[in-house]
Structures are given as structure tokens and as C-alpha cells.
Amino acid sequence: MNTRAYVGLGSNLDAPAEQLRNALQALDQLDDTRLAAASALYTSESLLPGQPRYTNAVAALDTSLDPLALLDALQAIEHGQGRVRKERWGPRTLDLDILLYGDQVIDVPRLQVPHYHMHARPFVLYPLAELVPEDFQLADGRALAQLLSACPYVGLERL
Ligand code: ROI
């Protein structure tokens, strides 16, 4: 349990809040992994028009799985909760993204950490901010406070 990782959760199908609660339990039950903390749940419009509203949250995990083993485990949880990949960016019962993995910067075909889009997504940054100190920096040196001030809290509803 030696690395703190942050995982983004999202759902916009089949009772999204329940999907997220089930996923948090599944995260806590992963081998060599403990759910250290979870943010509140937030809802917001999809970034792509014509999709149902999303529910999102962020989880803090302590894990001794390496990043790709953690990614495998997250994908197994997604599939266990009925995710079928039809179209990229399509509606989904559950999306689990590794946002941050300790202080590592990772750029391999399967995994980019810090997550490429997190800096521009209020439904990631504001829940993450609940779980970390105010002076928190991403592994690439960007200050979370700076990202927050460039990403207004617009359209988010805290459940
Ligand atoms: N929009 C919101 N609000 N939340 C998401 O998790 C989310 N995920 C996506 C797209 C379709 C980009 N829009 C989203 O993949």
C-alpha cells in the first residue's frame, strides 16, 4: 500500500450515483489496495451534447499495484459493472481513470499520468481538491490551485 493514487469515477447510465457507490466498494476490495478517501458526488452536463448528465467523483487509493496492474484492475471493475465499449466518448455505466499515481509521470500507449484532460475538467479538479492539501502539486509540477483558478466551478452540482 505504498503509493497514493487518485482515480476519477464517472457514470451517466443505469443509476449513476449507485454505479459510483458500487465502484468505490469494489476499489476498496481490490488486492493490495485500500480506499483511503472519496470525494462527494457531483453531477454535471456531458461535455458532449446529447448525452445524459454525468455523475462524477474522485477516490484516493493507497496501493502496491503498479500502474498498469491498477489499470487492469480498474478495467475489470468497469466490465464487472456492465461497461461495454461501443464508441469512444459514448455514454457509459462506469468510467474509471487513473488521474495521478504517486509522483510518477507516465506516458505509454495504454496510460498517460497525470491524466491528459484533468486540468480542464471541473468535475475532476473540484472533487480532487477535497482530498488533497491546498498546496498540492501534480507530478509534473502544476499547482492544483492554479488549475482550479483557470477552471471555473460552473455547472457542477454537489450531491
Ligand atoms: N462530461 C462529464 N460531465 N463528466 C464526464 O465524466 C464525462 N466524460 C466524458 C465526456 C463525454 C467527455 N463528457 C463528460 O467522457
Side-chain angles (χ1 to χ4, degrees):
M1 315 282 188
N2 42 19
T3 302
R4 170 59 59 92
Y6 294 91
V7 171
L9 299 86
S11 171
N12 71 343
L13 288 179
D14 299 345
E18 206 175 311
Q19 297 289 345
L20 263 50
R21 288 191 196 100
N22 291 341
L24 289 169
Q25 269 190 357
L27 290 171
D28 197 33
Q29 285 163 11
L30 287 179
D31 287 345
D32 303 317
T33 301
R34 180 179 75 95
L35 176 66
S39 73
L41 307 187
Y42 292 80
T43 68
S44 55
E45 290 298 321
S46 172
L47 296 179
L48 293 180
Q51 287 191 23
R53 249 176 115 74
Y54 274 84
T55 303
N56 291 101
V58 172
L61 304 181
D62 290 322
T63 186
S64 39
L65 297 176
D66 68 43
L68 291 178
L70 179 61
L71 180 61
D72 287 337
L74 299 186
Q75 290 181 346
I77 294 173
E78 289 177 345
H79 292 139
Q81 289 188 215
R83 173 152 181 192
V84 182
R85 269 179 200 269
K86 292 190 194 118
E87 42 182 313
R88 209 182 173 181
W89 313 121
R92 69 285 308 270
T93 51
L94 183 62
D95 188 27
L96 298 175
D97 291 325
I98 301 176
L99 303 171
L100 302 168
Y101 183 92
D103 58 6
Q104 293 193 29
V105 176
I106 302 167
D107 189 0
V108 296
R110 277 190 75 201
L111 182 63
Q112 293 81 43
V113 175
H115 188 277
Y116 269 174
H117 302 295
M118 63 180 287
H119 65 278
R121 294 185 165 178
F123 56 83
V124 173
L125 295 177
Y126 287 90
L128 174 65
E130 290 182 23
L131 305 179
V132 300
E134 260 178 55
D135 62 354
F136 186 78
Q137 291 194 354
L138 276 54
D140 53 19
R142 287 176 295 173
L144 181 60
Q146 201 109 49
L147 300 181
L148 287 166
S149 60
C151 186
Y153 187 97
V154 170
L156 274 187
E157 190 176 319
R158 197 178 194 273
L159 291 184

